[in-house]
Amino acid sequence: MKINKITVLGAGIWGSVIAQHLARKGCNVYLWEYNEQLLNVLKTMGRHPNIPNFKIHDNIRLTGNVAEAVENTDLIIFVISSKAIRTFCREQLKPLLAGRVVPIISASKGIEDKTFKTICEIIEEELPQLKDKVLAFSGPSFALEVAQNVPTKIMLAGADELLVRQIGQLINGDPIIIVPAKDRRGVEYGGGIKNVLAIGCGVIDGIGDGANAKAALITQAMQEMNDIIISQGGQSGSVYSLAGFGDAILTGMSAISRNRRLGEKLGAGLTLEEAKKEVGTIAEGVNSVQSVYDIARKNHLNTPIIDAIWQIVCQGKKPHVLLHAMGFTDRGNK
């Protein structure tokens, strides 16, 4: 498989870091960004304003033109908001590809409301010629650490084993190690659910009840993740993989996690809108809370942790409902 041009959609922190990694490996990368202000800063400064000491590689071409970005491309990598992907595929990418088969990697995480479809499934539904050519890219991977050359393992999952191996070899290299997987659905659901759990960990931090309670929450929540993934046709192995347990530890325990920070604001008593404003950047877990909760209800699953996080995020309930869900019934009642 010969790849001459790679298109990265989204020049946020993670998209820019992925583009930089591939450019350093000698790839010709087109980095597309819809936000004109960010795009102009990147072009003018030659650096990313939110990544320390990040000089954009010479192999990266910056553009705000989707047609230019995807013309004759051999691989597309999605790193845009999960909420925007269906519309983007339908209105912009579909007419440009015009039935052409181009492998796609989804580095975006989330579960669609009502349909419960994963990002890869949304892409395949809107671009049916790409059946089994869409891969999930998920695992414990803070972009700022990858930018600093910190060793990182990420799962690449898809039904086409040959494609997974070929694309994996392309990406694989210091500091990123690729772990191939077949259970794309389990990997994607793990990536979506762990963001919700990270919000719960942040709520514990905001309340001020410490690492003991967070460890208990993650332990209890992994069983809920397992039950949800199994109900959706995924495998238990994915729950306890890098994309499930590994990513849950990273995003739930680290101070720099956006989802954890948003939960911390909620735990401290802020409203969702106030919390989102203070965090600033997108916390994808907010987009997944309702979907994860609805899946659990549809399948009659016992998910007290998920239920409590949903109550806090979607119904504005007091943060102590999460402690109550964990069995700490006297907390918050004094």
Side-chain angles (χ1 to χ4, degrees):
M1 180 180 183
K2 189 174 182 181
I3 294 181
N4 294 313
K5 176 182 176 181
I6 298 173
T7 301
V8 178
L9 299 172
I13 297 176
W14 191 211
S16 296
V17 169
I18 291 172
Q20 187 87 340
H21 173 72
L22 292 169
R24 285 174 174 169
K25 288 176 64 65
C27 300
N28 177 32
V29 182
Y30 277 62
L31 179 58
W32 172 85
E33 174 55 42
Y34 80 96
N35 185 309
E36 290 185 7
Q37 183 178 2
L38 174 58
L39 184 62
N40 288 334
V41 169
L42 294 173
K43 286 182 174 181
T44 303
M45 296 177 57
R47 299 177 180 274
H48 199 292
N50 299 317
I51 309 174
N53 304 314
F54 187 91
K55 183 180 182 297
I56 296 170
H57 198 279
D58 291 342
N59 288 347
I60 295 176
R61 180 181 178 88
L62 295 161
T63 181
N65 187 312
V66 180
E68 179 187 18
V70 303
E71 183 182 12
N72 297 322
T73 192
D74 301 301
L75 175 65
I76 298 173
I77 304 176
F78 274 84
V79 205
I80 60 179
S81 169
S82 59
K83 285 285 188 182
I85 286 177
R86 184 178 290 280
T87 300
F88 182 87
C89 286
R90 180 181 298 168
E91 297 181 359
Q92 300 198 60
L93 201 53
K94 187 173 184 176
L96 290 171
L97 291 183
R100 190 160 65 94
V101 176
V102 179
I104 288 180
I105 295 173
S106 170
S108 302
K109 298 173 182 177
I111 302 164
E112 190 173 45
D113 293 343
K114 298 180 181 178
T115 70
F116 307 145
K117 292 185 183 295
T118 66
I119 302 302
C120 289
E121 289 169 340
I122 292 169
I123 295 170
E124 287 183 344
E125 189 169 88
E126 295 298 331
L127 304 166
Q129 76 270 27
L130 301 184
K131 177 68 174 174
D132 293 334
K133 301 301 180 184
V134 184
L135 311 179
F137 188 65
S138 185
S141 49
F142 281 145
L144 291 176
E145 288 197 0
V146 179
Q148 295 166 2
N149 214 39
V150 174
T152 304
K153 279 191 172 183
I154 304 177
M155 300 190 80
L156 186 66
D160 188 330
E161 293 184 56
L162 176 59
L163 182 63
V164 170
R165 185 166 65 251
Q166 290 174 330
I167 300 297
Q169 289 172 349
L170 174 73
I171 301 173
N172 195 73
D174 188 42
I176 295 175
I177 299 298
I178 294 296
V179 178
K182 297 179 183 178
D183 182 23
R184 189 186 73 182
R185 177 164 272 240
V187 166
E188 283 202 274
Y189 268 98
I193 297 168
K194 66 86 185 177
N195 281 335
V196 177
L197 303 184
I199 292 175
C201 288
V203 170
I204 298 295
D205 284 332
I207 294 171
D209 273 5
N212 292 345
K214 277 203 297 182
L217 182 146
I218 291 176
T219 303
Q220 185 174 339
M222 293 314 297
Q223 183 60 55
E224 297 185 19
M225 179 189 285
N226 180 77
D227 293 345
I228 292 172
I229 287 177
I230 294 299
S231 77
Q232 296 306 110
Q235 301 170 7
S236 282
S238 296
V239 178
Y240 299 99
S241 71
L242 290 166
F245 188 51
D247 216 352
I249 292 173
L250 181 76
T251 54
M253 303 298 281
S254 174
I256 66 174
S257 163
R258 292 168 296 178
N259 291 289
R260 191 212 60 80
R261 282 191 285 128
L262 182 130
E264 184 176 16
K265 304 297 182 184
L266 294 173
L270 272 63
T271 66
L272 178 59
E273 291 308 312
E274 289 170 341
K276 286 164 68 175
K277 186 176 181 180
E278 288 213 5
V279 171
T281 55
I282 295 172
E284 289 283 15
V286 173
N287 295 336
S288 299
V289 171
Q290 186 68 54
S291 297
V292 172
Y293 173 81
D294 287 344
I295 292 169
R297 300 289 65 73
K298 178 183 177 182
N299 292 283
H300 309 291
L301 302 175
N302 180 33
T303 55
I305 300 296
I306 296 294
D307 297 356
I309 296 170
W310 173 78
Q311 289 175 346
I312 295 166
V313 173
C314 298
Q315 293 194 316
K317 297 290 186 180
K318 298 296 183 182
H320 283 86
V321 300
L322 181 56
L323 293 173
H324 298 163
M326 297 170 63
F328 300 117
T329 55
D330 61 335
R331 307 295 289 178
N333 294 326
K334 297 178 180 179

